[in-house]
Amino acid sequence: MFYIAKVKVKTETDEGKIKKTTEVYLVEDDVISGVEAQITKEFQGAVTDWELVSVAETKILKVLNA
């Protein structure tokens, strides 16, 4: 199954202000807890603050690569 995972990321600008952005990831896993684990692994060691906001199942069946 494919899931859409939305992650809020806080970064500091050159002026010292906090900029909040939402990043969207397409994650393949059998269960939602696996998606959470993959996102945690992706951001492990990151110097920015992040938060997994939502995980939603998609209707995507397969990703085709050229």
Side-chain angles (χ1 to χ4, degrees):
M1 293 186 152
F2 289 94
Y3 294 89
I4 296 291
K6 292 185 180 181
V7 179
K8 275 191 183 178
V9 179
K10 295 179 186 177
T11 55
E12 188 173 338
T13 64
D14 293 336
E15 296 82 29
K17 296 181 180 180
I18 300 297
K19 181 180 177 182
K20 298 175 187 175
T21 57
T22 300
E23 298 179 355
V24 180
Y25 294 88
L26 178 65
V27 183
E28 183 178 18
D29 209 302
D30 294 330
V31 292
I32 290 178
S33 60
V35 174
E36 293 172 4
Q38 286 188 53
I39 293 294
T40 300
K41 184 177 179 182
E42 179 70 23
F43 282 91
Q44 189 173 17
V47 293
T48 59
D49 289 335
W50 63 275
E51 174 187 5
L52 180 59
V53 177
S54 68
V55 177
E57 188 176 332
T58 68
K59 294 182 180 183
I60 296 172
L61 300 176
K62 188 174 186 179
V63 176
L64 304 177
N65 294 324

